[in-house]
């Protein structure tokens, strides 16, 4: 009789799902994963914020805080009850690897603080993402900002006037991906105007000087700014037939700012190619 009662109770519990099944753990109300990165397996969202415009201080490649403004997201993911802990390093590495596959760049990674900063340029947006990971939980802070679209307003004549009057001119229509020296296709109009300037002034020789903002080490930016200047010279020579003897390239990193590097607008002005009369 005792065994029959136990079997009867077990059947009732089995039918109601109170012993052998557990309700799926629900995500935070109205939350959803960010389009760039899916969640780790066996995790659910326990906190979520979607703010149309906000700011966050990320750690940059120089290990200094940099404030980024734009569309702000915050996520906290917790491990599902009963699931195996993946370990904090696996969480960070999985997120890094996933974002690298779509062009992301890891600019900061720290095992002591268990944190990484990753930058992704995609679909006209620059997205900064910080992951802080633990064994059974991780947090994401994300800022999406529109990549500044600068029109080429200075034509060859205007650039020539500036060089005549001041000996130099800044060109803002030449674009590169973050940390790279390959010229983006949308730079063609600006480089074409430089070639017209040179063709219209046969005796004009130029120094092509690359400038960066202060994000990253001075050593890395010196090389990056020189590589970018080299790329502009190469484009003028190979694509537009300008004699290489008329051009010399230099890189000065962030040593000659024209605005404060404390704001994103200032940094955008400092990232430039400058033409200087020899």
């Amino acid at each position: 009789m005792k065994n029959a009662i136990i079997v009867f109770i077990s059947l009732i519990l089995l039918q109601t799902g109170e012993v052998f099944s557990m309700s799926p753990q629900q995500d935070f109300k109205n939350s959803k994963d960010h389009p760039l990165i899916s969640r780790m397996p066996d995790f659910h969202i326990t906190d979520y914020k979607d703010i149309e415009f906000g700011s966050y201080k990320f750690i940059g490649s120089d290990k200094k805080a940099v404030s980024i403004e734009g569309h702000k997201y915050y996520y906290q993911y917790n491990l599902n009850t009963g699931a195996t802990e993946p370990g904090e390093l696996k969480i960070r590495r999985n997120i890094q690897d996933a974002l690298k596959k779509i062009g992301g760049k890891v600019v900061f990674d720290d095992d002591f603080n268990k944190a990484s900063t990753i930058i992704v340029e995609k679909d006209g947006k620059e997205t900064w993402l910080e992951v802080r990971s633990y064994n059974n939980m991780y947090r994401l802070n994300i800022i999406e900002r529109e990549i500044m679209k600068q029109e080429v307003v200075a034509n060859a004549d205007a650039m020539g006037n500036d060089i005549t009057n001041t000996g130099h001119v800044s060109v803002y229509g030449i674009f590169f991906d973050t940390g790279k020296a390959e010229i983006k296709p949308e730079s063609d109009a600006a480089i074409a105007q430089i070639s017209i300037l040179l063709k219209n002034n046969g005796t004009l020789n130029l120094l092509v000087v690359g400038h960066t903002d202060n994000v990253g080490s001075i050593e890395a930016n010196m090389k990056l700014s020189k590589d970018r200047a080299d790329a502009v010279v190469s484009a003028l020579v190979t694509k537009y037939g300008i004699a290489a003897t008329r051009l010399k390239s230099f890189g000065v990193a962030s040593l000659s700012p024209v605005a404060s590097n404390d704001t994103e607008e200032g940094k955008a002005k400092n990232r430039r190619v400058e033409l200087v009369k020899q």
Side-chain angles (χ1 to χ4, degrees), residues 30-252:
N30 296 325
S31 66
K32 58 182 178 180
D33 295 321
H34 190 272
L36 285 184
I37 184 76
S38 59
R39 73 187 67 189
M40 289 284 294
D42 296 324
F43 279 80
H44 61 285
I45 301 172
T46 56
D47 197 5
Y48 171 77
K49 293 180 178 66
D50 180 346
I51 302 170
E52 185 174 351
F53 190 82
S55 66
Y56 186 77
K57 288 187 176 181
F58 295 87
I59 305 300
S61 56
D62 57 357
K63 298 183 180 180
K64 295 180 180 179
V66 53
S67 183
I68 303 297
E69 297 180 345
H71 195 150
K72 182 178 182 180
Y73 299 88
Y74 170 75
Y75 295 86
Q76 178 170 312
Y77 290 90
N78 283 69
L79 188 67
N80 295 340
T81 302
T84 302
E85 292 183 357
E88 72 81 18
L89 184 59
K90 185 175 181 179
I91 294 171
R92 267 192 296 139
R93 291 292 181 262
N94 269 268
I95 292 172
Q96 290 172 3
D97 291 344
L99 293 173
K100 283 179 181 178
K101 289 178 181 177
I102 58 172
K105 180 183 178 183
V106 179
V107 297
F108 174 77
D109 186 47
D110 182 18
D111 289 334
F112 180 79
N113 289 300
K114 301 175 176 59
S116 291
T117 302
I118 307 140
I119 303 174
V120 181
E121 288 190 6
K122 186 178 174 65
D123 300 329
K125 294 179 181 177
E126 182 181 76
T127 302
W128 287 63
L129 183 147
E130 177 195 79
V131 53
R132 291 187 176 270
S133 54
Y134 308 87
N135 287 329
N136 60 0
M137 181 263 283
Y138 65 98
R139 298 188 179 103
L140 300 178
N141 281 286
I142 300 173
I143 295 283
E144 293 176 347
R145 65 189 185 103
E146 298 290 330
I147 296 174
M148 185 176 293
K149 296 179 180 178
Q150 293 164 312
E151 305 254 341
V152 181
V153 295
N155 59 23
D157 291 337
M159 287 191 285
N161 289 336
D162 281 352
I163 289 174
T164 298
N165 293 328
T166 66
H168 65 95
V169 63
S170 294
V171 183
Y172 287 102
I174 301 175
F175 302 100
F176 305 88
D177 283 331
T178 302
K180 297 182 179 180
E182 292 76 24
I183 298 173
K184 301 185 78 170
E186 52 265 41
S187 309
D188 288 349
I191 295 177
Q193 290 297 312
I194 298 172
S195 74
I196 293 170
L197 168 68
L198 287 162
K199 289 175 181 178
N200 289 345
N201 299 272
T203 61
L204 178 63
N205 297 327
L206 293 175
L207 306 177
V208 179
V209 185
H211 298 259
T212 67
D213 57 28
N214 67 344
V215 176
S217 69
I218 187 67
E219 294 80 10
N221 283 334
M222 287 293 285
K223 182 179 185 306
L224 178 62
S225 57
K226 175 63 164 61
D227 289 347
R228 288 178 171 179
D230 286 343
V232 173
V233 169
S234 177
L236 289 167
V237 171
T238 60
K239 190 170 182 178
Y240 295 97
I242 304 300
T245 53
R246 300 179 63 189
L247 303 166
K248 291 182 180 178
S249 59
F250 294 89
V252 296

